Amino acid sequence: MAERPAWTSASDLAEYAYCPRAHYYHDHPPEAGPERSSQRRAAAGERFHARELSGERRRAEHGGAYWVAFAVGVVLALGALAWIFSR
């Protein structure tokens, strides 16, 4: 187990803010190692975060296209309403 410095770094604070338990286990790993069930849950968590981040990345990269599609839909809906009420 590595000796931690007397001061706290920004990454230590970020790790604690993200998960206090992960911060604790960083310095105090279980003697027997991780359990099989915790490894499965960790893998499931990694898959979840990968899915969420890919969705965020896709929305960030194609955000303009969503707004254009929304604007086209609004214009078409308003045109349809104008056509219906003009009859």
Side-chain angles (χ1 to χ4, degrees), residues 33-45:
E35 295 177 357
R36 189 122 171 105
S37 63
S38 67
Q39 289 175 333
R40 282 194 308 270
R41 288 191 304 267

Side-chain angles (χ1 to χ4, degrees), residues 17-74:
Y18 176 72
C19 179
R21 184 175 288 182
H23 179 70
Y24 173 80
Y25 282 129
H26 186 268
D27 288 334
H28 305 89
E31 290 181 18
E35 295 177 357
R36 189 122 171 105
S37 63
S38 67
Q39 289 175 333
R40 282 194 308 270
R41 288 191 304 267
E46 289 173 7
R47 288 190 304 271
F48 170 79
H49 286 286
R51 265 193 325 271
E52 290 296 311
L53 288 175
S54 70
E56 288 291 325
R57 191 175 299 114
R58 185 175 51 252
R59 283 187 289 279
E61 291 172 353
H62 305 295
Y66 291 127
W67 282 110
V68 168
F70 176 75
V72 168
V74 168

